[in-house]
Amino acid sequence: MHWVNLGLLPGWNSSTASENDLNRLGVFTGAARTNVDEGPDAVHKADIATAEHLGRRVARTAEVFLREPVRRRRVKSPEPKTLETAAGGPGCPRPARPRRTAYR
């Protein structure tokens, strides 16, 4: 799951703001509206515009995931370690050492 927030600062929280600003309720987690006991016709126009803004953000985010396909590689699972190999005992292969080159 990928969460997409509004990406907006709170609206209608200063003397120069109006009730028609996007995110007028100052929500950061997603879309919200007031007066849940009223029907859909009573939804404030700024809340509808905020929901449309969120819908466009979700669509743009989904495009990013659809544009780049997920490629899964098959990874060979490592052989289980025994006490001998985990401790670096005789059955444990030693890592290859880099060759030293003489510079003159």
Side-chain angles (χ1 to χ4, degrees):
M1 183 169 124
H2 188 83
W3 184 259
V4 179
N5 64 6
L6 284 174
L8 295 172
L9 293 174
W12 200 23
N13 65 349
S14 67
S15 60
T16 59
S18 76
E19 68 174 318
N20 295 318
D21 289 345
L22 290 179
N23 196 17
R24 70 185 181 103
L25 300 174
V27 178
F28 288 99
T29 56
R33 76 175 199 98
T34 56
N35 302 332
V36 294
D37 59 339
E38 296 178 348
D41 296 333
V43 178
H44 197 280
K45 292 184 190 277
D47 295 340
I48 293 172
T50 303
E52 289 172 349
H53 170 80
L54 178 61
R56 285 190 297 274
R57 273 181 69 84
V58 169
R60 280 195 301 264
T61 303
E63 282 179 351
V64 170
F65 290 111
L66 293 174
R67 207 175 310 136
E68 298 178 17
V70 177
R71 294 186 182 139
R72 297 177 187 251
R73 293 185 294 152
R74 290 190 180 200
V75 179
K76 216 177 179 184
S77 60
E79 294 182 20
K81 290 185 176 182
T82 62
L83 289 176
E84 188 176 86
T85 58
C92 181
R94 295 182 181 220
R97 296 180 115 184
R99 286 189 171 181
R100 295 187 181 187
T101 322
Y103 293 103
R104 292 183 188 184

